[in-house]
Amino acid sequence: MSSTNEQRGVRLNKPSPIKDFISGGVGGIAVVLSGHPLDTIKVRLQTQPKIQSGEQPRYAGTLDCFKKTISKEGFRGLYKGMAAPLVGVTPMFAVCFLGFGIGKKLQMKSENDSLTSFQIFNAGMVAGLFTTGILAPGERIKCLMQIQSDSGSTKYAGSLDCAKQLYREYGIRGIYKGTCATLLRDLPASGAYFTTYELLLSSLTPEGKSRSDLGPFRVLFAGGMAGVFNWVIALAPDTLKSRLQTAPEGKYPRGIRDVFRELIREEGVGALYKGLAPVMLRAFPANAVSIIINSDIVAYSFPKPASLAWKSL
């Protein structure tokens, strides 16, 4: 990063909520389509039961989970539960980018203001806050569908049926189970995502050049690494969220606190990072593709660069 950027912060173009909404939605679909199989493996590793003395784990690791899923359910098994995030991902990603734009605008006194890393992190947390209302119920349904075959029974015929049954049995609270856990994951993780992306693009921009001059490989790298740092922060609370959202009703009366205590007591700190391999395999390519698609859509649809497209970052 140049000395000017270090002194003045990261300069961003004027936030444009409409552009952010459109580009974020299209990029979100790309993330789901490219990353859902590895997400299914992640959730199954996170939620597999504790190994008793003399027993073998249900899945020995990422590759073993992949093989067993394909053998038992075919390739379609890797895409179980995809309907819920696919329906919600356009508004979710769009609202995320919209929230980031608003978070930036709240901290800018004028259009030409530069933001510090801390201010970018704050704007990212605003984005995480915005998405929770959409993301939490989709995560709840997705996780239940992804682990259904492991339970040995087929309770839900699909994502819509899952939502209907949850509402019928537990009301709206049943659908939104795990909302606080989702917030705990997404506030810091979203802050880390946007901060990493902004700082990397600034450091990759040659002296005397603008971000519009950056080639796609540098943008891919920044987007992919932003996804990696997002999941470095998110994985531990994501494991707690997955266990809470897939647990039988009443098992954890105090919510995520009970999940954390039980996990640490019975399995140790390392259990918080189950699913690390599939997460990291997915994080870089999925987020890199999302960023490039965001920029291409906005560049095609809008002559001027958008605040979160790579051509303006």
Side-chain angles (χ1 to χ4, degrees), residues 9 31 35 43 68 76 112 136 140 144 150 181 184 215 250 252 286 289 299:
V31 169
V43 171
K68 288 179 178 177
R76 292 183 62 183
N112 295 321
R140 165 80 155 142
L144 286 173
D150 286 343
L184 181 64
Y252 300 115
V289 168

Side-chain angles (χ1 to χ4, degrees), residues 63-106:
L63 184 58
D64 184 53
C65 182
F66 178 82
K67 289 179 178 178
K68 288 179 178 177
T69 299
I70 296 297
S71 175
K72 184 179 178 181
E73 305 166 58
F75 280 99
R76 292 183 62 183
L78 296 170
Y79 289 90
K80 285 190 173 179
M82 190 175 71
L86 197 58
V87 168
V89 74
T90 296
M92 188 276 291
F93 265 75
V95 168
C96 176
F97 279 70
L98 176 64
F100 182 63
I102 292 173
K104 291 184 296 183
K105 192 172 184 179
L106 289 173

Side-chain angles (χ1 to χ4, degrees), residues 1-312:
M1 185 183 299
S2 67
S3 59
T4 301
N5 280 336
E6 290 174 351
Q7 294 170 3
R8 301 177 61 188
V10 177
R11 175 163 292 181
L12 304 171
N13 283 11
K14 179 181 177 181
S16 175
I18 295 176
K19 298 176 185 180
D20 293 341
F21 190 92
I22 294 174
S23 63
V26 176
I29 293 174
V31 169
V32 172
L33 293 176
S34 62
H36 194 80
L38 285 168
D39 183 77
T40 297
I41 292 172
K42 170 188 72 75
V43 171
R44 291 187 176 189
L45 290 173
Q46 288 175 325
T47 58
Q48 65 176 327
K50 177 188 174 185
I51 305 170
Q52 302 299 326
S53 179
E55 291 183 347
Q56 294 294 321
R58 179 179 292 160
Y59 304 115
T62 300
L63 184 58
D64 184 53
C65 182
F66 178 82
K67 289 179 178 178
K68 288 179 178 177
T69 299
I70 296 297
S71 175
K72 184 179 178 181
E73 305 166 58
F75 280 99
R76 292 183 62 183
L78 296 170
Y79 289 90
K80 285 190 173 179
M82 190 175 71
L86 197 58
V87 168
V89 74
T90 296
M92 188 276 291
F93 265 75
V95 168
C96 176
F97 279 70
L98 176 64
F100 182 63
I102 292 173
K104 291 184 296 183
K105 192 172 184 179
L106 289 173
Q107 301 175 92
M108 296 170 69
K109 295 181 181 179
S110 70
E111 295 178 6
N112 295 321
D113 277 356
S114 299
L115 298 182
T116 65
S117 298
F118 182 68
Q119 288 174 316
I120 295 171
F121 186 87
N122 289 338
M125 288 201 297
V126 173
L129 179 65
F130 270 48
T131 61
T132 300
I134 299 171
L135 189 59
E139 287 278 300
R140 165 80 155 142
I141 294 167
K142 173 185 72 72
C143 288
L144 286 173
M145 294 299 299
Q146 287 173 322
I147 66 141
Q148 183 170 227
S149 65
D150 286 343
S151 66
S153 62
T154 304
K155 182 177 180 180
Y156 307 115
S159 295
L160 181 59
D161 182 55
C162 180
K164 289 179 179 178
Q165 289 197 45
L166 287 174
Y167 182 77
R168 185 166 58 247
E169 294 177 20
Y170 310 111
I172 195 67
R173 292 183 63 182
I175 295 177
Y176 275 87
K177 181 179 179 180
T179 297
C180 290
T182 305
L183 273 174
L184 181 64
R185 179 192 70 176
D186 287 351
L187 290 184
S190 294
Y193 175 88
F194 285 108
T195 303
T196 301
Y197 184 55
E198 295 284 359
L199 293 181
L200 278 177
L201 280 186
S202 291
S203 66
L204 292 170
T205 302
E207 193 71 33
K209 299 286 187 178
S210 68
R211 295 185 180 185
S212 60
D213 298 318
L214 287 177
F217 290 108
R218 292 190 179 193
V219 179
L220 280 168
F221 177 75
M225 290 306 298
V228 169
F229 276 91
N230 172 89
W231 276 105
V232 167
I233 301 297
L235 184 57
D238 182 71
T239 298
L240 299 176
K241 178 199 69 67
S242 295
R243 293 199 177 194
L244 177 63
Q245 290 185 317
T246 57
E249 293 301 315
K251 181 176 181 180
Y252 300 115
R254 295 184 179 181
I256 195 171
R257 289 177 294 174
D258 283 350
V259 181
F260 178 76
R261 289 170 182 154
E262 179 187 84
L263 183 145
I264 296 299
R265 182 179 65 249
E266 297 186 359
E267 302 177 58
V269 176
L272 288 168
Y273 296 93
K274 286 185 175 180
L276 177 64
V279 158
M280 290 303 155
L281 286 172
R282 182 189 64 167
F284 190 97
N287 285 278
V289 168
S290 172
I291 288 294
I292 286 295
I293 290 178
N294 287 345
S295 64
D296 286 346
I297 290 294
V298 174
Y300 178 80
S301 304
F302 302 97
K304 295 182 180 180
S307 60
L308 282 178
W310 68 265
K311 293 191 175 183
S312 68

